[in-house]
Amino acid sequence: MTGRPRTRTVLHRSLSRPVRATALSLGAVGLCASLTAGCGVIPGATGGSGDDPIKVMTWAPENTGATNKPGMPAMARAYGKWINDHGGINGRKLEILTCNDHNDNVAAAKCAQQAAAENVVAVVGSYSQFGDSFLAPLESAGIPYIGGYGVTNDEFTGQMSYPVNGGQPVLLAGLGRALATTCGTVALVRPDNIAGDELPPLLNSGLKAGGHSKADDELAAEDATSYGDQADQSLRNATKDVLHKGCVVPALGDRTDTFMDSFRRARQEYPEVRLGTVLGDVDQTVINATGGASGPYEGSYITSWYPPASDARWNEMKKVINEEAFGDNRIDPADAGVQTTWIAYTVLKAVLDKIGSGEVSADAVRRTLDGGIQISTGGLTPALRWTYEGKLASVGFPRLVNADVTLQVVQNGELVAARKGIGGISGIADMTQTLENADVR
């Protein structure tokens, strides 16, 4: 399913930062020995000088049997065309390179090696589940990673990573905060693996902040082809409080739609419950494909990093899509990957504008990002600024600088802003304090 993070990649935190940095460096050496392109690049090499184009790269999986995000490189190319059609940046063209990571760790590393070989100044607005494969070669070449999708914990720990959203931690904490005020018993269905073990504390941090008890924790095999038993158990748990409507939270990544097939059949035998989930496990494309207003997600709460696609703050992005990619059905303005790519390129442009007529290189981009620049995204996120360690360093997310979450609800088959629950009338809430109190260690 498009844009669906695999939960196995989330929140692996077994190495301390110094040890992990050493491991990454050693991994980069091994990659140089095994891959044919991109090794021996001098860190900070320019992505073009004088009137040469400024090279950047965007990667994402395409044409695979699992997660696909073709809209991200397509959005990047549309953005590059738009910039170049309007005079470039400081008179220089923006050259967009793209790479398919094939949902494969070796291919992800090869994309990073290609970025180094091409002397790109940044990797921007990309999606890959294999942070442990691509961050090492990027760090070795001194290339910043701006606005990854937030699918792996590595993006919130790597010193050359500049995330624009809060990833899975923010979405789960925000969902718990929203469900605390509307649900009776909350039943969480999640993978029975190490990564899955990290999910209950995040959801429970939000529930606790709203004065709610912990969620019932239902484990499921990550590779199951049917979830009938888990669907029945989650419904039994969610409906045991006869006075308050319960909620079921499927957090199974790629297998969420498999669970929903079982859940749709089982729920007919139980009192009504509400569904809650996070963007990525479910998006507008999934809602449409499962029946829209008559489908299983009608009435569901879904947490997101950004305002709904109908919000006027996306108008400039939509204008660019219409001008440069009209009819390209890979680019859906409601897709979180497309939105993340737009925001990441907004950051890149602000950095390049700040550099001005000076040398544009990976090193210059990184120094500018590390130098305290504060970047506006037109209200789509809070102003973004990356320090050495953010407020959430104590709970393992030192690079997480945007803990905002929006609450959306499926009404008449469409994702729209929910004006109640979290964020009040604005629909936006900052999960920093909630995550600071999460028991994730």
Side-chain angles (χ1 to χ4, degrees):
M1 200 64 69
T2 302
R4 183 165 298 161
R6 293 187 180 183
T7 50
R8 72 174 179 82
T9 64
V10 178
L11 306 175
H12 49 347
R13 200 163 39 249
S14 60
L15 296 180
S16 66
R17 178 65 202 169
V19 172
R20 187 176 170 277
T22 302
L24 288 173
S25 298
L26 291 173
V29 173
L31 283 166
C32 287
S34 61
L35 300 177
T36 59
C39 296
V41 176
I42 299 172
T46 64
S49 58
D51 295 329
D52 291 344
I54 299 170
K55 288 185 183 181
V56 298
M57 178 177 279
T58 297
W59 61 53
E62 300 185 62
N63 303 315
T64 77
T67 303
N68 292 291
K69 292 300 289 181
M72 298 181 76
M75 181 71 239
R77 287 189 287 267
Y79 186 92
K81 288 176 61 180
W82 178 68
I83 285 291
N84 294 338
D85 287 349
H86 291 80
I89 299 178
N90 300 312
R92 296 176 62 179
K93 297 290 187 181
L94 191 59
E95 182 177 348
I96 310 294
L97 307 179
T98 60
C99 189
N100 185 353
D101 96 326
H102 295 285
N103 278 319
D104 178 81
N105 64 330
V106 174
K110 286 183 177 179
C111 284
Q113 292 296 329
Q114 181 187 345
E118 294 280 359
N119 292 343
V120 305
V121 303
V123 173
V124 187
S126 296
Y127 181 110
S128 177
Q129 302 182 44
F130 302 101
D132 53 350
S133 294
F134 70 75
L135 276 175
L138 291 186
E139 290 184 356
S140 179
I143 298 172
Y145 185 67
I146 302 173
Y149 191 85
V151 68
T152 71
N153 189 47
D154 301 88
E155 295 171 54
F156 302 107
T157 58
Q159 288 303 309
M160 291 189 192
S161 178
Y162 301 85
V164 299
N165 62 47
Q168 188 97 325
V170 163
L171 295 181
L172 281 168
L175 183 62
R177 185 67 185 85
L179 298 184
T181 61
T182 61
C183 297
T185 303
V186 177
L188 170 67
V189 185
R190 52 87 170 182
D192 184 10
N193 57 25
I194 294 174
D197 292 343
E198 301 284 1
L199 304 183
L202 296 168
L203 180 68
N204 289 334
S205 70
L207 290 170
K208 180 181 178 182
H212 197 287
S213 58
K214 292 182 178 180
D216 285 336
D217 187 15
E218 177 69 21
L219 280 62
E222 61 180 325
D223 58 352
T225 57
S226 176
Y227 289 98
D229 290 344
Q230 289 78 17
D232 279 326
Q233 185 60 50
S234 66
L235 284 162
R236 281 196 294 270
N237 289 340
T239 57
K240 61 188 178 184
D241 182 348
V242 296
L243 298 179
H244 301 92
K245 182 189 293 187
C247 293
V248 174
V249 177
L252 292 165
D254 288 342
R255 297 292 179 169
T256 297
D257 54 346
T258 305
F259 171 82
M260 289 305 298
D261 287 340
S262 300
F263 183 80
R264 187 181 347 210
R265 293 189 293 270
R267 73 186 304 177
Q268 300 173 7
E269 307 298 324
Y270 294 88
E272 186 178 359
V273 298
R274 167 164 258 160
L275 277 173
T277 188
V278 299
L279 197 72
D281 282 2
V282 177
D283 60 16
Q284 188 62 56
T285 304
V286 175
I287 294 165
N288 295 342
T290 53
S294 62
Y297 293 107
E298 182 68 14
S300 299
Y301 276 146
I302 297 175
T303 46
S304 175
W305 304 299
Y306 315 123
S310 58
D311 193 286
R313 284 169 284 189
W314 294 111
N315 285 351
E316 187 177 11
M317 180 188 74
K318 293 177 182 178
K319 179 183 177 183
V320 171
I321 294 171
N322 287 334
E323 287 184 8
E324 305 295 349
F326 183 77
D328 188 340
N329 59 15
R330 295 171 300 174
I331 305 178
D332 180 356
D335 178 71
V338 169
Q339 295 170 350
T340 298
T341 302
W342 170 260
I343 292 170
Y345 273 92
T346 301
V347 170
L348 175 72
K349 185 176 185 302
V351 170
L352 296 178
D353 286 341
K354 177 72 172 178
I355 294 172
S357 59
E359 179 192 47
V360 178
S361 65
D363 195 39
V365 170
R366 195 176 65 253
R367 285 199 309 267
T368 303
L369 286 164
D370 292 341
I373 186 173
Q374 186 163 289
I375 298 171
S376 170
T377 62
L380 295 169
T381 69
L384 298 174
R385 179 176 177 267
W386 294 270
T387 57
Y388 179 72
E389 284 199 343
K391 294 180 180 179
L392 292 169
S394 63
V395 289
F397 311 123
R399 304 297 286 173
L400 200 163
V401 300
N402 173 15
D404 275 10
V405 63
T406 68
L407 180 64
Q408 300 177 22
V409 64
V410 183
Q411 291 182 350
N412 299 317
E414 298 290 331
L415 269 172
V416 299
R419 298 303 185 187
K420 297 179 181 179
I422 60 171
I425 194 168
S426 71
I428 301 173
D430 183 353
M431 291 291 108
T432 299
Q433 185 173 0
T434 300
L435 286 170
E436 283 178 327
N437 295 325
D439 184 17
V440 296
R441 291 183 293 274

